[in-house]
Amino acid sequence: APPPPAPPPPAPPPDKQRMPRLRRVRDYEREALGNPDALAANLGLADGLVQAGWLSGEELAAAYRLADVVATPSLCFESFGLLNLEAMLARKPVVASMWGGPSDVVEDGVTGFLVNPLQVGALAERLTRLLRDPALARRLGEAGRARAEGMVGVPAQRDRTLHEVSAHIAARLTE
């Protein structure tokens, strides 16, 4: 078997001219990560950081519409990737933690990318790649929408329910 491919080189710092709309809208791990405002200032990105706090309803839908990519590099084990499903339903490519539930939702290289969140260079490379390649982001976003609809959309839920009800009725009829 051929040797595994070499890891990609570390991503360069964000180019503010090419990615002027860099934003952060959810803040689940603020305590674990320290002060994101200070970090953004140190990286020269303070003018592009938005601390929106908790979003729901129309505010959350608007945030998804404005996003180019949704990153969920959680350091905590997640049992299910609901945030990723929401992003995929909004046709946004996802860069998610490879640990836990997100790997059940995001198909690496198909609907987004799965990364080890402790490998910051790989995370940055995937985000940069999507931000610099709108065609790739659009393709992954469309594939994500199709996958999410197949998982939680009304037709998928209807079909699974009818299958379960039919199986239950068939089992009762053979008793």
Side-chain angles (χ1 to χ4, degrees):
D15 178 354
K16 287 173 37 179
Q17 300 303 93
R18 295 185 66 157
M19 294 183 278
R21 297 184 316 138
L22 190 60
R23 300 285 188 262
R24 178 182 176 183
V25 295
R26 280 202 172 178
D27 188 33
Y28 289 111
E29 297 172 340
R30 185 179 186 96
E31 291 178 24
L33 298 175
N35 183 345
D37 297 312
L39 178 59
N42 288 338
L43 294 172
L45 300 171
D47 59 337
L49 182 67
V50 174
Q51 297 290 338
W54 183 260
L55 301 175
S56 62
E58 185 52 38
E59 290 176 323
L60 181 58
Y64 283 126
R65 283 192 301 272
L66 292 171
D68 295 312
V69 61
V70 174
T72 59
S74 179
L75 298 173
C76 302
F77 183 82
E78 294 185 40
S79 59
F80 187 71
L82 181 59
L83 180 69
N84 300 309
L85 273 174
E86 291 172 347
M88 291 162 62
L89 286 168
R91 293 184 168 88
K92 301 304 174 180
V94 175
V95 179
S97 174
M98 60 189 263
W99 301 326
S103 65
D104 292 331
V105 175
V106 178
E107 288 183 272
D108 191 39
V110 177
T111 64
F113 295 114
L114 295 169
V115 297
N116 178 336
L118 298 175
Q119 294 178 346
V120 177
L123 172 62
E125 184 277 326
R126 296 298 190 188
L127 290 169
T128 301
R129 182 173 170 196
L130 288 169
L131 291 170
R132 290 188 174 159
D133 188 346
L136 174 62
R138 202 171 19 262
R139 188 169 64 250
L140 297 182
E142 289 298 328
R145 172 67 184 228
R147 178 162 169 78
E149 284 179 343
M151 293 178 81
V152 298
V154 171
Q157 294 295 323
R158 177 202 61 219
D159 293 347
R160 281 194 288 276
T161 301
L162 287 174
H163 175 76
E164 290 297 320
V165 168
S166 296
H168 181 71
I169 291 172
R172 295 291 300 241
L173 291 175
T174 59
E175 290 179 351

